[in-house]
Amino acid sequence: MKRGAFLSVGLAVATALAASASAQEAPKSEGKSSTHSAGWPGLGSGSTPQEVQQSLEQAPELNRNLSAREMLAQRRRLDAALRGLASQRAGLADVYVISIALDSDPVFAREAREVGKVLERRYNATDRTLVLAGPDGEDDGLPRGSISALLIALASVAEKMDTSEDVLVLYSTSHGLPQGLAYHYNDDGYGILSPKLMRDTLAELDIEKRLLLISACYSGIFVPALASDNTAIITASAENRTSFGCQPDNDWTFFGDALINRAMRKPQALLMAHREATLSIADWESRMRLPASLPQARIGNAAMNWLSAIEANIPQIATAPVGKPAMGE
């Protein structure tokens, strides 16, 4: 293997991740520091940069220095949470919600936890909502998010669903990089959740009706890979843009605060919520002189039909936003 090629691509990934983290953490704030201190390891393999890039599309996941007891405890948490999910009801369009934090910085866990509550209420998904989130500084009672945990969760949900009538709502929050979503747990877990793996996994599990909400820098790269007639996808940024607001002591990213904490708490359709969130984010970025993140949305024609059905009975009373606003208001 040509070591130079391996190192150059590994360094490019590390540099992109650092740029993503730096961008999302603006503006600076006092408080808890990041849970990460070690450098990002090389995750790709191959003898040329192209081969290494292709290997990153396979969504590598690296865990090191893990406690055997902690691994067992986490697997038991995940198994218990999956056992608690209710089966689908014949003849009804049930919604299954997964909200996952792929990074151990507390902002992501806080966001994923509250997102789970909002989406569960909005889509009548009681007993059909799964939250995968690490410690948020106060609570550590849920299974942690990782690439492997997400794949297991998706497979388990697919077994509970009738994929011909039920809908998956997936919210993911983390740092991002041009190759995909970054899985980063303390200095022990690393990985890249690529658009290819997400596309292939949903295809393997026959989950066609899906609402995908992705909060991360460069998250627009998931749109072309996952768009379909039966897919609704909203991302925090365009494929070549960063998003903002995820300094560790925050409660929300810009995207999570605008879309979930504010717009989707209201009795309005998803398209209206997306429009409200996009305008809010653009205003915040303009006021802070940040480059526009350009959130993306694409909703297939068939998705419009099932989306209307699952939103026909959303609660007609709005709930109040919680936590510190991402803008620091």
Side-chain angles (χ1 to χ4, degrees):
M1 182 172 73
K2 296 180 180 178
R3 182 173 176 82
F6 178 93
L7 291 178
S8 65
V9 176
L11 180 59
V13 172
T15 301
L17 185 64
S20 167
S22 176
Q24 292 197 47
E25 288 176 5
K28 299 297 182 183
S29 68
E30 297 179 357
K32 298 182 180 69
S33 60
S34 172
T35 60
H36 315 301
S37 59
W40 189 265
L43 296 177
S45 61
S47 59
T48 67
Q50 292 75 22
E51 289 177 354
V52 177
Q53 181 65 28
Q54 289 173 358
S55 76
L56 295 177
E57 294 177 359
Q58 305 304 311
E61 183 174 10
L62 169 67
N63 292 290
R64 60 190 185 190
N65 196 35
L66 298 182
S67 160
R69 287 192 174 91
E70 181 61 22
M71 290 174 64
L72 178 60
Q74 286 298 322
R75 185 53 190 261
R76 284 174 172 165
R77 284 187 188 183
L78 178 58
D79 289 345
L82 294 174
R83 285 195 302 269
L85 294 177
S87 298
Q88 65 90 217
R89 297 166 292 181
L92 296 175
D94 286 312
V95 175
Y96 285 82
V97 174
I98 298 177
S99 181
I100 182 170
L102 283 169
D103 189 290
S104 60
D105 278 352
V107 57
F108 300 112
R110 295 191 195 104
E111 179 163 291
R113 291 170 194 272
E114 191 61 31
V115 166
K117 296 174 186 177
V118 175
L119 296 181
E120 178 182 63
R121 177 178 183 268
R122 179 180 176 91
Y123 293 120
N124 190 27
T126 302
D127 298 326
R128 294 181 177 84
T129 296
L130 176 68
V131 177
L132 304 174
D136 64 357
E138 298 178 0
D139 190 355
D140 186 23
L142 296 172
R144 296 173 186 167
S146 66
I147 296 173
S148 54
L150 177 60
L151 297 183
I152 292 169
L154 287 170
S156 182
V157 165
E159 289 184 342
K160 302 273 189 180
M161 299 173 71
D162 178 345
T163 55
S164 68
E165 62 184 16
D166 299 331
V167 176
L168 169 72
V169 177
L170 172 63
Y171 187 94
S172 177
T173 181
S174 67
H175 290 300
L177 53 159
Q179 292 81 10
L181 304 180
Y183 161 58
H184 197 182
Y185 191 82
N186 290 337
D187 294 327
D188 306 320
Y190 304 86
I192 298 173
L193 176 55
S194 67
K196 179 181 184 300
L197 178 69
M198 181 67 73
R199 181 195 66 202
D200 293 350
T201 299
L202 294 175
E204 174 195 354
L205 300 174
D206 197 30
I207 300 176
E208 294 186 355
K209 297 179 179 179
R210 64 266 185 128
L211 168 56
L212 308 175
L213 308 169
I214 306 177
S215 178
C217 290
Y218 312 110
S219 48
I221 64 168
F222 283 83
V223 175
L226 292 167
S228 73
D229 196 40
N230 253 320
T231 298
I233 181 170
I234 298 177
T235 67
S237 68
E239 64 179 4
N240 60 348
R241 297 294 181 105
T242 55
S243 53
F244 301 96
C246 65
Q247 53 265 45
D249 60 339
N250 255 17
D251 289 332
W252 294 96
T253 63
F254 277 20
F255 180 77
D257 195 8
L259 181 65
I260 304 296
N261 196 34
R262 303 184 187 218
M264 290 185 74
R265 289 185 183 274
K266 301 175 182 177
Q268 59 182 338
L270 179 66
L271 284 176
M272 293 299 296
H274 169 255
R275 175 174 172 78
E276 177 186 323
T278 298
L279 292 174
S280 294
I281 292 169
D283 176 58
W284 299 343
E285 291 169 343
S286 175
R287 286 159 58 187
M288 300 186 69
R289 299 183 179 180
L290 298 170
S293 54
L294 303 179
Q296 301 291 297
R298 189 175 301 179
I299 301 178
N301 290 331
M304 289 295 296
N305 294 327
W306 58 253
L307 192 57
S308 296
I310 67 171
E311 297 207 312
N313 296 312
I314 60 176
Q316 293 303 297
I317 299 177
T319 55
V322 302
K324 297 177 295 184
M327 258 290 290
E329 298 172 349

